[in-house]
Amino acid sequence: MSTSDLSRCAWCSSDPLYQNYHDDEWGQPLFDDQALFELLCLEGAQAGLSWITVLKKREHYRVVFDHFDANKIAAYDADKITSLLSDAGIIRNRAKVAAFISNAAAYLQLKQEGRFSDFLWSFVNGKTIVNQWANIADTPVATAESIAMSKALKKRGFKFVGPTICYAFMQASGMVDDHSPGCWKRTQSV
């Protein structure tokens, strides 16, 4: 069976980039601090848009945001921000660009206390929550865990981390397994 014949979650279109993301990344437990920081920023960039929009721009984001090196991002000045806001390869939203910068500073501050992944995974007690939604319509946009994560991140100075963004982040990083019942990835995870 080719990968194009696989049954996937309903949100996953026929776009090969989206299918590869679904098959190889979405829902896989992620513990690398820098990768989690990148994903959290990109989930925030998605606000009001579709994930495929961000996914298509992800490689360019990595280049212009110094591969999500928080030390570099936290030091961005007005000239760098102007450059970013004129770059059609990213979502040119001033508030979202500013959020990446403030998130970098908040991330560095939080890392002084320990691993970023430990902080984030604490909202699911260190293990993936496997949900059994009957269909995609049953999947919530936020949960008690994503609300708690949102509040804690905001308190630490993070931006664009509302409960819905946090829930999408939790799904993408494998803190929550929301693969659909008929999805080929679901059969591997249950």
Side-chain angles (χ1 to χ4, degrees):
M1 178 180 287
S2 75
T3 58
S4 63
D5 297 331
L6 295 173
S7 177
R8 293 180 176 85
C9 296
W11 59 262
C12 184
S13 71
S14 60
D15 184 307
L17 180 65
Y18 223 11
Q19 289 182 353
N20 288 336
Y21 172 74
H22 170 273
D23 295 352
D24 300 333
E25 295 181 59
W26 192 76
Q28 295 296 314
L30 183 61
F31 297 97
D32 178 85
D33 284 356
Q34 187 168 345
L36 286 164
F37 169 67
E38 173 186 327
L39 182 60
L40 186 63
C41 287
L42 292 175
E43 288 288 351
Q46 176 195 351
L49 304 168
S50 66
W51 180 245
I52 192 69
T53 301
V54 176
L55 194 58
K56 287 178 178 177
K57 296 176 180 283
R58 181 170 64 170
E59 288 307 317
H60 192 69
Y61 266 105
R62 287 175 173 159
V63 171
V64 299
F65 279 94
D66 294 295
H67 300 280
F68 289 88
D69 180 328
N71 288 300
K72 291 180 180 178
I73 296 172
Y76 285 176
D77 61 13
D79 289 341
K80 176 66 174 182
I81 294 168
T82 299
S83 172
L84 289 166
L85 292 173
S86 67
D87 191 326
I90 67 167
I91 297 158
R92 294 176 288 180
N93 177 296
R94 183 173 296 279
K96 290 177 181 182
V97 169
F100 278 36
I101 298 166
S102 62
N103 288 355
Y107 167 80
L108 293 171
Q109 184 66 36
L110 188 57
K111 290 243 332 154
Q112 291 180 5
E113 300 171 27
R115 293 198 43 173
F116 190 50
S117 64
D118 290 344
F119 174 79
L120 295 170
W121 278 84
S122 72
F123 294 96
V124 293
N125 295 318
K127 62 182 190 244
T128 301
I129 296 171
V130 180
N131 290 315
Q132 301 291 331
W133 312 119
N135 58 60
I136 195 166
D138 294 337
T139 307
V141 296
T143 61
E145 294 85 1
S146 74
I147 292 167
M149 178 186 283
S150 173
K151 286 179 182 177
L153 287 168
K154 286 177 181 179
K155 186 175 180 181
R156 298 291 189 134
F158 286 84
K159 308 289 185 209
F160 278 88
V161 289
T164 300
I165 289 171
C166 284
Y167 193 67
F169 169 75
M170 294 170 85
Q171 291 172 309
S173 64
M175 293 175 197
V176 175
D177 181 349
D178 275 347
H179 283 286
S180 301
C183 176
W184 77 275
K185 294 292 283 191
R186 167 60 74 184
T187 58
Q188 291 182 354
S189 60
V190 178

